[in-house]
Amino acid sequence: MSPMTPWVHRSAGGGEEGVPVYYDPPRPLPLPGKGYPTFVITVERFPFSFASLYELDEAIRVLEEPVMEVVEPGGRAKKQLPVQRKLDPHGAKTKHWTSRLPKSMQSWAKRRKIVFELRQARDAIKRALGPANVARAYGRDPSVSDGPT
């Protein structure tokens, strides 16, 4: 889990007795012999933490917008929120991951630099992981073919 996980990997069903919960997009699969990946990218002394490559892609998408989305607190009833968001010690205004960015990093010019660094890091991560582990970081089983071969 990272600060972005509840905002990116949303429950898409399941959870009833005997039915596993599934997420859209899928949560990452463990890397063989290493466990679940966590990607920490430090940009200007601020650590960005990601539990999947979907989260990294979403951070890039949100931060590259000229005007950042404003997320109003209370979009859903508190009883419907995931437990990690109910217990947030920072209060309702810091529920969305973008509200945790330092104020100095929220300007458009600074975010363009952050997006550049995040893209460079994403490319380096994908090269280091290799195709099979990149698929796992996106929640896909590399042993299952996606289409005809």
Side-chain angles (χ1 to χ4, degrees):
M1 297 281 288
S2 78
M4 290 184 63
T5 301
W7 295 96
V8 175
H9 300 285
R10 295 178 183 257
S11 174
E16 297 85 32
E17 188 174 327
V19 179
V21 176
Y22 62 95
Y23 298 91
D24 185 34
R27 287 191 173 176
L29 300 173
L31 302 178
K34 295 184 180 187
Y36 289 90
T38 299
F39 308 107
V40 179
I41 302 166
T42 303
V43 179
E44 297 195 14
R45 298 185 309 206
F46 183 81
F48 288 88
S49 178
F50 305 103
S52 73
L53 291 178
Y54 280 121
E55 293 179 16
L56 179 53
D57 293 341
E58 177 68 4
I60 291 169
R61 185 194 69 77
V62 170
L63 293 174
E64 72 183 353
E65 293 292 323
V67 178
M68 263 199 318
E69 301 172 4
V70 175
V71 180
E72 293 295 325
R76 293 196 290 177
K78 189 168 185 170
K79 66 181 179 180
Q80 295 175 334
L81 294 173
V83 70
Q84 68 272 13
R85 287 182 39 211
K86 286 181 195 174
L87 303 176
D88 185 1
H90 304 291
K93 290 188 178 182
T94 60
K95 296 293 185 198
H96 195 263
W97 66 271
T98 55
S99 65
R100 296 193 180 158
L101 289 175
K103 198 156 192 90
S104 64
M105 299 180 87
Q106 293 183 7
S107 73
W108 169 234
K110 192 69 84 169
R111 285 187 286 123
R112 285 188 355 199
K113 293 177 184 176
I114 293 168
V115 167
F116 176 78
E117 295 290 331
L118 292 178
R119 283 187 174 145
Q120 297 288 341
R122 179 181 60 190
D123 294 342
I125 288 169
K126 286 182 176 182
R127 280 192 305 272
L129 287 177
N133 287 333
V134 166
R136 288 180 169 284
Y138 275 111
R140 296 187 300 264
D141 189 352
S143 64
V144 177
S145 175
D146 289 335
T149 54

